[in-house]
Amino acid sequence: QVQLVESGGGLVQAGGSLRLSCAASGRTFSSYSMGWFRRAPGKERDFVAAISWNGGDTYYADSVKGRFTISRDNAKNTVYLQMNSLKPEDTAVYFCVPTLGPTMSLPIGSWGPGAQVTVSS
C-alpha cells in the first residue's frame, strides 16, 4: 500500500506559479502511474494530470493543458505538479494518487490529506 503526503500549496495571485509535491512511502511507488486530482469548493473531485510509471507518458485535463506540468522522481518516491499561469478557478484542494487505465485517470488506493491551493484575482 502506497501512502501519500502532498505539500507545496498556498495562496498566490492570478498569473502566479506554485509547485506541488507528493511524497510516497512504499517500495512499489515506481510501479504505478500517478495522478493529480483536485476538488474545488462545492464540487466533486476531478482529474488534473497523470504520468506513467517511468515518466514517458503524460495526460492532462483540457482545463490545465499548457499551464501545468506533471513529473516524477522515482529515486525520491515523489511526483510533482508545476502550476503556471494560475487562475482563480484553479482554487481547490489537490490530491495525488496511484492511477490505472489507458489515460491513467482512474484513481486507486487511498487518498492523502491534500494540499490547498488558493488563487486570488
Side-chain angles (χ1 to χ4, degrees):
Q1 181 99 11
V2 177
Q3 294 183 315
L4 307 157
V5 178
E6 301 88 350
S7 62
L11 173 64
V12 64
Q13 288 188 330
S17 298
L18 282 174
R19 188 175 83 152
L20 302 181
S21 299
C22 172
S25 65
R27 294 176 295 173
T28 59
F29 170 79
S30 60
S31 301
Y32 292 101
S33 58
M34 294 293 296
W36 284 96
F37 293 73
R38 67 186 181 187
R39 184 172 61 217
K43 296 187 178 180
E44 295 186 354
R45 191 153 28 200
D46 290 329
F47 171 77
V48 174
I51 188 167
S52 60
W53 68 274
N54 63 354
D57 291 309
T58 57
Y59 287 93
Y60 296 91
D62 288 342
S63 59
V64 306
K65 203 171 293 183
R67 299 188 297 123
F68 290 11
T69 302
I70 189 171
S71 61
R72 69 188 296 163
D73 185 339
N74 286 344
K76 296 182 178 179
N77 275 16
T78 302
V79 62
Y80 304 97
L81 186 68
Q82 177 67 44
M83 305 184 294
N84 298 329
S85 302
L86 282 162
K87 305 175 181 179
E89 51 263 44
D90 294 319
T91 294
V93 180
Y94 284 72
F95 304 86
C96 67
V97 70
T99 59
L100 289 176
T103 57
M104 302 178 290
S105 59
L106 178 65
I108 59 172
S110 300
W111 298 97
Q116 176 69 52
V117 172
T118 303
V119 184
S120 63
S121 57

